[in-house]
Structure formats: structure tokens, C-alpha cells
Amino acid sequence: MPEAHRAERHRQSRLSPIWIVPLVAVIIGLWLVYDNYARRGPEITLEMPNAEGIEAGKTLIKTRNVQVGRVTGVRLSDDLTHTVVTARMAEDTDRLLNEGTSFWVVKPRIGREGISGLGTVLSGAYIQLQPGNSNQPQYHFEVLEQPPVAPPNAEGIRINLVSEVGSSLNVGDPVTYQGFTVGRVENTEFDPEEREMRHRLFIEAPYDVLVTESTRFWTAAAISLNLDSEGFRVSLESLETLAGGGVTFGIPSDVPMGPEASPDATYRLYPDEESALQGTFNRYLEYVLLIDDTVRGLSRGSPVEYRGVRVGTVVSVPWHFSAPQPDSRQRFAIPVLIRIEPQRLGSNDGAPETIDLDAWRERISRMFDYGLRASLKTGNLLTGAMFVDLNFQQDAGEYQRETFDGQTVFPTTAGGFAQIEQQVSNLLEKLNQLEIEPILTGLDQNLQTSQQVLSEVRDTAESLQALLNDPTTGDLLKNINASLRELRQTLQGLSPESDAYRELTETLESLDQLIRDLQPVARTLSEQPSALIFDRSGGGDPIPRAPDRQAR
């Protein structure tokens, strides 16, 4: 036993204290490794079309300009269609990674909103992380090609638009209200099954209250020029839409506001404001016009007016052209489908449901009996655009109900150029009925008489010219001139300075004095005519007596 004890003590004495230092180093290293492993965050995988500006070990992942990760590897996908980027996230970043998280590369960009990402010119591109609101964790993401318009938790409302093929909207296009930008287009895609475009819009608060169930959306044209039967109109939405287009919305003036829209509500995107306004009239009556005249200038969307008030819209020109014509038609007419929209005339409370279409159909049917007819008229002489005019005709004739391909036929009358053609035809018919031959005969006689008068005038002119050319006429004119000179000399002799004039004046004065002297004699003779025979101073008139017989 003592020997075994001594052997054990000998082995223990062989362990040197110098081994303590490496042992402590190993323990510290293991602790550092464990601590590094315990403190590192999760690893994520990012897919992107290309790795432009991305470098392993250098490119950072940031959120709100705070580093939350670093790219650790960049490689191509197995099918070589895209790149796969692996990144190591920082500790305690699991709460940032969920189904709603978005990633995109921040680099210099020039877009409709301006220039962004200039700070990465010197520092290099980095990957921006935008946390989501989902509770479902996710570690595999697709990097967005463009930064999102708004974060998922932004205040506002997101709605969907559906439009026909041909929409020119792109991600980031502005959404305007009366020219003021209130949102952006977040996403746009084409549905091949439905053959329509689908857009997702974000309207930021507090402008989201402007979107109601009665709101209409239409494409905001940069410059809109419209020349139709209603005139010439020019409109400019905004300078941003001038560069890239956009969407605008509003509520028609004759439509109630309605309740606020619910999130993810779906609306139709109309090509222009006029189409959006027409879309509000969703309760209507359809009729067919059978036009015997030309329909050049009449197009889809043309107005239907009653005495200048729009009451409907032209839907199709022509409509079911190959359908059989009514038996009462003698000529092959062109069918035109129209809509009569009572909503344009308003209702008591503005609700479309309150309009009784059956009552309106009966009312219009009674108007047919009273002479209500449709005709085509020119609305714009410059473009030749036409519209449908409804009015009562006194000579409309009896109304006969007709149908065309299941639709009621709206009775029509000739209008526009057809009326002018009819008037010209009536004028020519009246001209044909006139007795032109007697008129032409009288005109021929008048022409002959006029020729004779002109011939006589010509002869008179020639005689007058011969008389003027005769030398005797010249001598006669000379004699007349000499007589005139002598007459002038004679008249000069009667001037106030001449002797003859002085003698004539003296004679007249003597004659005047003589007349004054004779005036008393004339007055006496006027009063007593017998004064010339008897003495004026006698006592009275003499009394005649018989002769004395004794004296004899």
C-alpha cells in the first residue's frame, strides 16, 4: 500500500502549472464562440433580378438608417434566371421578419418624384428593410424593383381599380383630386383570364375621406383636347401628369356623396371624365333608331337631347346591322342603339333606386302618340359631329309600334342634310312646274328692243359727233363767244360807277318826286271825283232846273 501511494503522488507531481494558461485560453475561446453564436441573428435569403451594386461582406441592410444586417453571399439561382443573396441579420431582428416585410435596393434613382438615393454615390448601395405588420415569420423574400409608395402601416386607404386593356398607369403615378396629389399607384398588373388591367391605389390620410361609394375614377390626361358636337374644350391636370400620367377622381355634381369607401374596395377606371360621368347613369331605357339617312358624324357617346337638354346617350353605331328589318320598312335602315337616362333629369332624393323605369317607358310611349320623333342634327359645323334630337312634330303621322331585334323602335323623321335635300328637291319640282317658255320669249323680245334702243343711241351719238366735227359749229361757237363778250361789256356799262347808271338813278329820283306830288291829287279825286270838273270849295251839289219859258 505505501508503494501505491507513492506512485500516485509521483504522477501528480508530473502535472506542470504552465498548462493552466492554455486551458484558460481554450475556455475563453469556446466562450467567445458560444457568445458569438448565441448573439448572431437569423439568416435570410433574398431573391432579385440582378445583383447590381451588391457585394458580399460589404453591402449592409438598414431600416430607418440603422444597420440591422449584412450580406454574406451572392450567387446565381439554379435555373440562372435571377440572383440569390444570403444575409446575416443582427440579434433580436426576428420581429422585423414577417410576411409583410419588404426589401428593396437603395441606389441613385431619377423618377417622377424627383432624384433619390444620392447619398449612395460614395457609400455604395444598400438594402432597405421595411417591417411588416404580420404575425407570421418569414425568412425568404423577393426584393422589390421599386421602393414601395407607402409603408403597410401608413394611415390612409388602399383601393383597387379595374380598367380595360390599354391603361398607361405605372407604379408611382400620382392620384390627384382637383389637381392636388393625394396618393400614388402602388401596383399594376394585367389579368390575362379576365383581359383587364388591375391597379392598386393608396390614398393617404386625411384625404381618404374623399373616397366614397359614389366616387368615380378616371385617367388623368396631361392635356385633353376635345372637339365634338358640344364644342371645344381644353383641360390640363397637373405638370406631373404631363410628364407621366396618373389617376384623378371625383363625385358627379348630381350624385349624393354616399358613405365612405371600405378598404380594398374595387372601382372601375374610366378613360376620361366624360366617360366617368356617363357611368353614373346606371338606370336607363334602351331604344333603337332606324335611320334612313346617313349616320356620318354620329358616334358612340354622342348626346341625345330634348329641346337642348341632354336626356340620353348613343350606345352603338350601327347596332346589330345584320338583324332582320321590320316588315313595314321599305328601305334598309341603319340601326342605332340609344339610351334614355331619366337620372339626368334628377329625382326627388337623388337615389337611382327611386326612378320608376316602367312609368318612364309608358310616358315615352304616350309621347310617341303625340308626335315625339327623333332626328339627326349637326352639332358642330367644323367637325361635322352629329347628335340625336328629340322633339314633337306636328305632321308626324300615326305612330305604329315596331321592334328591332327585341328592342322597341323609337320613331324617327328626316333631319339635317336629308331635310336640306328634300327642300332642294321640292324647289326643283316647283321650278319644273313653272312655264319657262313664255318668260324666255318675253326676255328675247326685251333683248331685241334693247338692241334697237342701243342702235338708236349709237346713231344719235354718231350724229352728235359729226355735228361737233362740222366747221360751221366751230364758227357758231365763236359767234356765241363774241356775243357773250359784248353782253358783258353792256352789263359793265350799267355798273354803279358808269354815267348811264347815274342818269338812270337821277331819272328814278325825279319820277319818285313826281309821284309824291301827284299823291294829293289822287287822294282828292278819290274822295271827290267831281273835283276835276267842279270847284271843290262849293257849298253843295247843284240842283238841275228846267229852262225858263218867259225868257224865251
Side-chain angles (χ1 to χ4, degrees):
M1 292 300 295
E3 294 181 358
H5 181 68
R6 287 195 297 268
E8 183 65 25
R9 291 181 61 185
H10 179 71
R11 286 196 298 269
Q12 290 179 356
S13 63
R14 292 177 60 185
L15 293 176
S16 174
I18 198 171
W19 290 103
I20 298 175
V21 176
L23 182 60
V24 172
V26 170
I27 295 173
I28 294 173
L30 293 176
W31 171 256
L32 292 175
V33 171
Y34 172 78
D35 183 69
N36 183 45
Y37 179 81
R39 295 175 64 88
R40 70 176 181 173
E43 185 181 51
I44 61 174
T45 302
L46 305 177
E47 293 184 2
M48 58 180 65
N50 59 76
E52 180 183 1
I54 306 301
E55 296 183 21
K58 292 184 178 181
T59 303
L60 303 178
I61 299 177
K62 298 181 180 181
T63 180
R64 297 186 181 276
N65 210 25
V66 176
Q67 179 181 346
V68 294
R70 184 185 297 270
V71 174
T72 58
V74 180
R75 63 181 179 83
L76 288 174
S77 62
D78 296 337
D79 56 2
L80 305 180
T81 59
H82 59 277
T83 59
V84 179
V85 177
T86 56
R88 176 65 63 180
M89 302 299 294
E91 182 184 9
D92 196 23
T93 56
D94 295 85
R95 56 197 178 102
L96 301 178
L97 306 174
N98 52 65
E99 291 183 351
T101 302
S102 301
F103 291 86
W104 68 91
V105 179
V106 178
K107 56 185 177 180
R109 300 177 187 271
I110 300 177
R112 299 185 181 94
E113 301 83 5
I115 302 176
S116 61
L118 291 179
T120 60
V121 174
L122 299 178
S123 62
Y126 64 89
I127 299 176
Q128 179 73 30
L129 181 150
Q130 180 174 282
N133 295 328
S134 176
N135 295 325
Q136 186 68 27
Q138 182 175 332
Y139 301 97
H140 189 95
F141 303 91
E142 291 185 2
V143 179
L144 303 176
E145 296 182 6
Q146 297 288 338
V149 174
N153 56 352
E155 295 184 0
I157 186 174
R158 286 178 169 84
I159 59 174
N160 301 312
L161 296 183
V162 177
S163 66
E164 298 178 354
V165 178
S167 176
S168 59
L169 293 181
N170 297 313
V171 176
D173 285 345
V175 180
T176 61
Y177 179 80
Q178 297 183 358
F180 184 75
T181 301
V182 297
R184 295 282 174 180
V185 178
E186 283 192 330
N187 186 29
T188 178
E189 60 181 10
F190 175 66
D191 186 353
E193 296 182 358
E194 299 294 335
R195 297 183 179 181
E196 60 186 11
M197 295 293 298
R198 298 184 181 274
H199 313 280
R200 187 169 179 81
L201 274 60
F202 174 73
I203 311 296
E204 44 184 67
Y207 311 112
D208 53 343
V209 297
L210 299 174
V211 183
T212 67
E213 294 182 356
S214 301
T215 301
R216 297 293 182 268
F217 292 83
W218 62 89
T219 302
I223 299 179
S224 177
L225 303 177
N226 192 5
L227 183 63
D228 54 16
S229 61
E230 296 182 353
F232 181 76
R233 298 186 297 275
V234 180
S235 61
L236 173 64
E237 190 67 27
S238 65
L239 294 179
E240 188 172 2
T241 57
L242 181 63
V247 179
T248 186
F249 64 94
I251 299 176
S253 58
D254 54 353
V255 175
M257 290 287 293
E260 294 185 9
S262 57
D264 293 328
T266 302
Y267 296 85
R268 175 162 294 277
L269 177 63
Y270 295 93
D272 50 46
E273 184 177 2
E274 181 64 22
S275 300
L277 179 61
Q278 301 305 323
T280 61
F281 306 117
N282 52 5
R283 294 181 60 79
Y284 49 81
L285 299 175
E286 290 186 338
Y287 293 93
V288 175
L289 305 180
L290 296 180
I291 307 298
D292 294 328
D293 308 323
T294 178
V295 294
R296 178 182 293 272
L298 185 69
S299 59
R300 178 182 179 182
S302 298
V304 178
E305 298 182 358
Y306 173 73
R307 296 181 179 178
V309 178
R310 183 163 183 173
V311 296
T313 305
V314 175
V315 179
S316 178
V317 182
W319 182 73
H320 295 185
F321 189 79
S322 59
Q325 298 275 327
D327 298 335
S328 59
R329 295 282 168 171
Q330 299 179 356
R331 295 190 301 173
F332 192 85
I334 299 178
V336 176
L337 182 64
I338 66 171
R339 289 177 178 176
I340 303 298
E341 300 158 341
Q343 288 175 268
R344 293 182 179 273
L345 302 178
S347 60
N348 295 332
D349 56 359
E353 294 78 8
T354 60
I355 297 177
D356 190 350
L357 294 180
D358 294 334
W360 273 96
R361 185 177 289 105
E362 295 179 359
R363 183 182 302 173
I364 294 176
S365 180
R366 291 194 302 269
M367 291 181 179
F368 292 160
D369 297 331
Y370 294 143
L372 181 63
R373 298 294 184 267
S375 61
L376 301 184
K377 290 188 176 181
T378 302
N380 192 311
L381 296 178
L382 183 61
T383 62
M386 305 184 72
F387 68 97
V388 178
D389 181 67
L390 308 182
N391 211 334
F392 289 92
Q393 305 291 337
Q394 295 181 355
D395 54 350
E398 184 179 358
Y399 167 68
Q400 295 181 356
R401 179 177 177 81
E402 295 178 321
T403 59
F404 178 85
D405 200 16
Q407 294 288 351
T408 303
V409 175
F410 201 109
T412 60
T413 58
F417 289 104
Q419 292 181 350
I420 298 176
E421 182 181 357
Q422 183 64 30
Q423 293 175 359
V424 172
S425 178
N426 295 336
L427 178 61
L428 293 176
E429 184 177 356
K430 292 180 180 179
L431 291 176
N432 291 331
Q433 295 176 357
L434 293 177
E435 296 180 359
I436 304 299
E437 186 174 356
I439 297 177
L440 295 177
T441 303
L443 291 175
D444 184 48
Q445 294 177 356
N446 292 335
L447 289 175
Q448 293 178 359
T449 303
S450 301
Q451 290 178 354
Q452 294 177 359
V453 172
L454 291 176
S455 178
E456 294 176 358
V457 171
R458 188 182 302 107
D459 295 341
T460 303
E462 292 176 355
S463 300
L464 181 59
Q465 185 66 32
L467 179 62
L468 294 175
N469 295 332
D470 190 357
T472 306
T473 303
D475 297 338
L476 178 60
L477 293 175
K478 293 179 181 179
N479 294 333
I480 292 175
N481 290 333
S483 300
L484 290 175
R485 285 195 297 270
E486 293 177 356
L487 180 59
R488 188 181 298 108
Q489 293 176 359
T490 302
L491 293 176
Q492 288 178 355
L494 296 177
S495 63
E497 294 80 7
S498 63
D499 296 337
Y501 182 82
R502 191 179 301 108
E503 291 177 359
L504 179 60
T505 302
E506 293 177 355
T507 302
L508 291 176
E509 290 177 354
S510 300
L511 181 60
D512 183 63
Q513 183 64 35
L514 178 60
I515 291 174
R516 288 192 185 95
D517 294 342
L518 291 177
Q519 282 181 353
V521 178
R523 188 180 300 109
T524 302
L525 291 178
S526 177
E527 296 174 357
Q528 295 181 3
S530 60
L532 186 62
I533 301 175
F534 300 100
D535 187 9
R536 182 180 179 187
S537 59
D541 292 336
I543 300 174
R545 295 181 180 179
D548 190 3
R549 293 181 179 179
Q550 295 179 0
R552 287 182 182 179

